[in-house]
Amino acid sequence: MAEKISVIIVSQNDRLRELLEMFLSEYKAEFNVIGGVNLSSDFNYLIDKNDKAVFFIESTDENTDFIKSISDKFSNAKIVIIKENPDVTYIVNAIRAGAKEILGYPIIKTEFIDILEKVKQQFSGEFKNQDKCKMITVFSNKGGIGKTSIASNLALELAQTTKENVALIDLNFQFGDITAFMDLQPSFDISYMFDNLNLLNNDFLLSTMEKYKDTSLYVLADSPYFKPAKKISAKQVTRFFETLKKCFSYIVVDTDSTFDEKTITTLDYSDLIFLVTIVNLPALRNCQRCLGLFEKLGYDAKKTQIIINRYMENDEITASDVENLLKKKVYWKIPNNYFALMASINKGILVTENNPTSNVAESYKGLALQVSDSVFRNNLIKKFSPEDSRRVNKILEI
Ligand SMILES: Nc1ncnc2c1ncn2[C@@H]1O[C@H](COP(=O)(O)OP(=O)(O)O)[C@@H](O)[C@H]1O
Ligand SMILES: [Mg+2]
């Protein structure tokens, strides 16, 4: 039988705890209520940080620190907040702190049951389908511009923020850097996957891709050793991403700088392309060329978004100069921080882990939030009034 999902109810309100326990008693086969506790309890003795668990937390004030502490500590847990008339600022802060769902108080049984069903599906991995998956490809036709740094940190932060399964794919078959950036020695590499496309399915992918520490990030890269380049056809790439899209909520692809068949098929297949540039004229000219090419390929203007890397506020060329030149809004700016990046690369630890409070790590986290906002945050907020949704979107600048 599948492992039960532990339930922890954090509330001072006896009646609320009793009510939830009563609802949950109909789900004994799947959920195991292991405690109704208050905010100051030490949860470590109740569950392990990797356990499948759901926290129902009643919130009576506007503070979200507690949500964040639970989210940081129990990386595999889902957090559901129960709050009477939550206002927009609270919803945004709670979500940013790691809450997955917000339930109004008093509780409506059907809403509560819907959430139990969702949690069940998320833990069993059944919730994935192609419509839900968002595939993001980080591209530039220049090397050394920051693609691998962005792709790897973004993927890790997406996994940490959403707790959903995220795939990080290194399409640089010959000189991929992801294994070095994350200090990985994958047992199965991407060449192996392409040689065994007929075996690909959910179980095969989740068991052969490299799970990164105790997160929901799965990495597929080539071994750090040099191998002769391999010719990959458009058909193989399509088959590969089709299967991947069924198994993951997000796919982040790191590319090399060449416009070959495999890269173009990957770009075609992506929902979002992050075109990375730095602020100097040769890089910006290249960026213009790429935008021209994407237009010729028929990509919707929204599909391609500009990221400025190594941005410095006092630079001679500003972000608005870039927008004027490219005739396109800049989606995100990542600050220049050579030392934080170098220190991380040299240790083989991503900067979001090695130096999470650095400006560059904060920026990758913000980018992940921005990307995930448009998917699950929006769905969550839809439950509240249309006016609330508009205000939340404004705050989150979607
Ligand atoms: N925001 C940044 N600030 C400072 N240095 C950066 C930044 N992003 C990337 N770098 C540095 O630029 C170099 C190339 O980055 P990388 O991510 O490997 O680029 P690419 O994948 O496009 O070749 C690395 O040495 C990295 O440390
Ligand atoms: Mg790279």
Side-chain angles (χ1 to χ4, degrees), residues 140 142-150 177 181 254-255 257 309-311 334-339 341-342 345 360 364:
S140 158
K142 263 182 118 53
I145 211 135
K147 294 184 291 294
T148 305
S149 309
I150 294 171
D177 285 329
F181 274 45
D254 182 26
T255 54
S257 320
N309 193 27
R310 311 193 71 158
Y311 187 69
I334 298 169
N336 188 48
N337 192 335
Y338 176 80
F339 292 105
L341 263 286
M342 253 0 235
I345 290 172
V360 64
Y364 292 131

